[in-house]
Amino acid sequence: MDFTCIKAFRCTICGNEVPQAEADETYVCPYDGGNYDVIYDYDKLREAIKKDGFGKEKDGMWRYLPLLPIQKGARLPPIVAGGTPLHHIPQNATEKLLGESGSKIDFYLKDEGRNPTGSLKDRASSLVAAKALHDKKPLVATASTGNAAAALSGICASLGLPCIIFVPAAAPPAKIAQLRSFGAYVFLVDGVYDDAFELCQECTKKFGWYCRSTGYNAYTSEGKKTVSFEICEQLAGYVLRGTAPEHPLAMGMCAEAARCIDMGVVELGGGAFSAPNWIAVSIGDGNIISGTWAGINDLYSLGLINRKPKLLGVQAEGSDYVYRALKTAKTPTEWDKLPAIDSATVADSIEANLPRDRVRACRAIMDSGGICLTVTDEEILKEIPTTGRETGVFVEPASACTIAGIKKALRQKLIPLSDSPMSMVAIMTGTGLKDIAAAQRAVTASKDEASSSAEGPKMERGTAIKIPISVKAVEDAVKGLPF
C-alpha cells in the first residue's frame, strides 16, 4: 500500500484522529484508551486498484495487500494465512444442520481452521509480524487464550522473530503444545485471560516489546478484515459459476452454485465481489467481528459490494459482555464503561471478562442492523459433532457456538425469512483439533456408545462400540443401516 492512502487513525470512542506514526507509538487513544480505526482515502485506493489490480502474484490474505496498512516491499511471512475455503453447504445438509428453516437459507461455512496454525487469528498475527519487522522491532509479545498465541508463535517462527506469550495456565493443552513446538517463550499465567492481558501490557511497556494483543494493536483487526474480502470474492465465484461458468473466478469452487438470486456482482481490478445477506460469528474479545465489519465497510466504500450484510454475533451465556452491553447501553462511551463480568464457558477462545474490542464489536452489530444473542455450553457442545456430521468440518467450541446461535435465531424468528433463499455465511474461526477434550466431551454427551440389546450392540451414526474379533459381530451391528 501507498501510505498516502491512509488519512488517519481515529479513536472509536471520542473520534480523535492522529497520524499513523502517533498511533503506532501509543497503540490506543491516549485520552480514553479507545481502539483505533484506520481511515482510508477510498478514492485514491480505488484508483490504485483500478490501475494495478489486486495482488495477483500474492497468495492468501496478501492478495489484498493494496487494502492493508503495510507498505509494498515489506517482508511477509513465508507461511501464508488466508485463502481458506468457503464451503457451500448443500440444501439437504443445511436443513439437517439448521432445521426446517434451513430450506430458506443459501448457507456457507468459511473454514478458518485451514489456516497455518488452525485459526482465523493467523491473519492478524501475519500482519502484525510484518509490521514489527518493517519497524525493526526485535520481539513481539501477546496475551491470548490460546489461538492468537499459537498464531503469533507460528508466524514468528517462520520469520525467525522472537515472541513472548502470556496465556492462562488453564488453556487447552493442545494450544499450549503448539506454542512450545513453535519455540515461543511461554508464560502460563495463574489467572484468567484478562489477568494475562494486563500482565502483558505492563511488561511490553516496561521492556519496550512490540505488543500484538488483540483489541489493543490496531493492526490485528486490519489483518482479520481480510476474511470479509475473501468471503465476498469467493461468494461472487459461486454466483458467476451459475451465470458465467467460463469466468476465472467460477473455477475450482466446491458444491453447487448459489440458490440465492439477489447477490449482485461488482468487478474491479481483476476481482469480483458479492455480499451475503448475513455473516454470523462468535464473539469473545470482539476483535473478529469488528475486523469482519471493517472489511465490509472497506468493500462498500470502494463500491465493490452494493449492500452491507447484517451481522449475527453469538456469545456463550457464561461470557456475554457484548450481549449485555447492547441490551443496556447505546453509545460507545457507555459500552466502554460497563464493568467486567465473571466469565466461564467451555468455549475458552471466546471467554473474556472485559472484551478489549467491546466498543467496536457493539458498534459493528448495531451499525449492520444485526443482532446479538447467547447460547448455553450444552448447546455449543452439541453442535461440534452435528457440524462435523453434516458438513465435514471439524470445529472448536467457539465455532460451534456460531452454529448454535444461528439455530437459535431461526428458532426464535429473529432472522426474517422469505420465500426466496437468503445468503448466510458462518465463520468457523478455528479447527476442532485445538480442543480435542471438548470434542470428546461433546460426542460422549451425545452418544458415545450405542445401547446394547439382546442381539448385541447396534451402530448409529457417530457412535463407537466395542466388538469381539468377529465378522458376525460386525454383521449384527450394521443390520438395518442404510448401506
Side-chain angles (χ1 to χ4, degrees):
M1 167 180 277
D2 178 353
F3 275 15
T4 62
C5 290
I6 296 178
K7 289 183 174 180
F9 280 52
R10 179 186 295 157
C11 174
T12 310
I13 298 174
C14 70
N16 179 52
E17 292 187 2
V18 299
Q20 183 175 15
E22 184 176 332
D24 286 350
E25 189 69 27
T26 62
Y27 291 98
V28 294
C29 179
Y31 301 111
D32 51 30
N35 300 125
Y36 282 125
D37 291 316
V38 183
I39 309 302
Y40 293 99
D41 185 330
Y42 289 110
D43 290 335
K44 279 188 177 180
L45 273 182
R46 184 174 175 81
E47 288 306 310
I49 294 169
K50 192 182 294 184
K51 176 184 175 184
D52 299 328
F54 290 95
K56 297 176 183 178
E57 76 285 358
K58 302 293 184 183
D59 294 326
M61 64 180 279
W62 303 119
R63 167 169 169 72
Y64 309 103
L65 198 58
L67 297 176
L68 294 173
I70 190 80
Q71 285 180 318
K72 290 180 180 178
R75 184 182 170 197
L76 304 178
I79 59 172
V80 179
T84 60
L86 181 72
H87 303 298
H88 189 197
I89 307 305
Q91 184 177 351
N92 63 337
T94 298
E95 291 175 13
K96 289 178 182 177
L97 182 62
L98 302 182
E100 186 178 339
S101 297
S103 63
K104 302 295 185 182
I105 296 177
D106 201 27
F107 192 53
Y108 304 79
L109 293 187
K110 181 60 170 166
D111 186 4
E112 290 294 290
R114 302 280 285 275
N115 276 301
T117 75
S119 83
L120 185 150
K121 295 178 181 180
D122 285 334
R123 297 175 184 269
S125 289
S126 294
L127 185 60
V128 169
K131 174 66 175 171
L133 281 176
H134 179 268
D135 292 352
K136 297 181 171 53
K137 302 293 184 181
L139 180 147
V140 185
T142 195
S144 169
T145 56
N147 282 346
L152 184 65
S153 300
I155 299 299
C156 283
S158 76
L159 291 164
L161 181 64
C163 69
I164 290 179
I165 305 297
F166 296 84
V167 65
K175 294 184 180 182
I176 295 173
Q178 272 191 300
L179 313 182
R180 298 178 64 185
S181 296
F182 291 135
Y185 300 94
V186 183
F187 289 103
L188 303 177
V189 180
D190 188 14
V192 297
Y193 167 69
D194 300 87
D195 298 311
F197 186 95
E198 294 297 340
L199 182 58
C200 180
Q201 301 308 91
E202 292 176 24
C203 291
T204 53
K205 289 175 183 176
K206 181 176 178 63
F207 304 122
W209 301 334
Y210 188 61
C211 184
R212 175 246 183 261
S213 290
T214 301
Y216 184 71
N217 187 315
Y219 296 95
T220 56
S221 62
E222 287 293 294
K224 291 174 183 176
K225 76 180 183 181
T226 58
V227 73
S228 291
F229 300 161
E230 287 183 15
I231 286 171
C232 292
E233 189 164 22
Q234 290 169 316
L235 201 58
Y238 280 110
V239 177
L240 291 168
R241 185 183 181 192
T243 58
E246 73 283 358
H247 195 285
L249 285 175
M251 306 306 290
M253 308 303 288
C254 60
E256 74 272 21
R259 294 185 296 134
C260 188
I261 60 174
D262 70 339
M263 295 188 290
V265 175
V266 179
E267 300 189 58
L268 179 72
F273 298 84
S274 179
N277 295 110
W278 285 84
I279 296 178
V281 64
S282 59
I283 303 173
D285 57 29
N287 197 239
I288 290 179
I289 199 166
S290 75
T292 299
W293 189 237
I296 291 298
N297 279 322
D298 282 351
L299 293 178
Y300 188 80
S301 297
L302 288 164
L304 293 176
I305 54 176
N306 52 27
R307 67 168 176 221
K308 294 183 183 182
K310 296 180 185 296
L311 297 181
L312 171 60
V314 189
Q315 291 204 284
E317 274 190 4
S319 185
D320 62 348
Y321 185 102
V322 172
Y323 173 79
R324 296 189 199 187
L326 287 168
K327 288 289 187 183
T328 59
K330 298 298 180 185
T331 68
T333 301
E334 292 173 325
W335 294 327
D336 185 56
K337 297 303 180 184
L338 291 175
I341 63 173
D342 290 324
S343 61
T345 174
V346 68
D348 68 286
S349 59
I350 54 170
E351 182 178 340
N353 293 345
L354 188 67
R356 301 296 164 169
D357 210 358
R358 54 193 178 274
V359 173
R360 290 196 297 181
C362 291
R363 185 188 63 186
I365 294 168
M366 180 171 284
D367 287 355
S368 78
I371 56 176
C372 184
L373 51 74
T374 65
V375 293
T376 66
D377 278 359
E378 289 72 23
E379 289 172 311
I380 291 170
L381 286 173
K382 180 182 177 182
E383 297 310 323
I384 294 176
T386 303
T387 303
R389 193 164 56 239
E390 303 304 337
T391 71
V393 180
F394 183 33
V395 299
E396 69 170 341
S399 299
C401 179
T402 302
I403 300 297
I406 295 170
K407 293 175 76 167
K408 184 173 183 179
L410 292 172
R411 190 168 61 247
Q412 296 184 353
K413 302 187 186 309
L414 299 175
I415 296 176
L417 300 172
S418 64
D419 290 337
S420 299
M422 68 159 56
S423 52
M424 176 180 286
V425 175
I427 301 177
M428 302 289 96
T429 52
T431 174
L433 295 173
K434 293 280 190 176
D435 193 348
I436 292 295
Q440 290 174 324
R441 179 178 166 189
V443 295
T444 300
S446 57
K447 40 187 175 181
D448 185 24
E449 290 190 7
S451 57
S452 296
S453 68
E455 299 177 355
K458 294 292 183 182
M459 291 293 292
E460 295 178 27
R461 197 174 176 204
T463 60
I465 64 173
K466 291 181 180 179
I467 61 168
I469 307 172
S470 163
V471 173
K472 180 65 166 59
V474 173
E475 182 181 24
D476 291 341
V478 301
K479 278 181 181 177
L481 296 181
F483 52 75

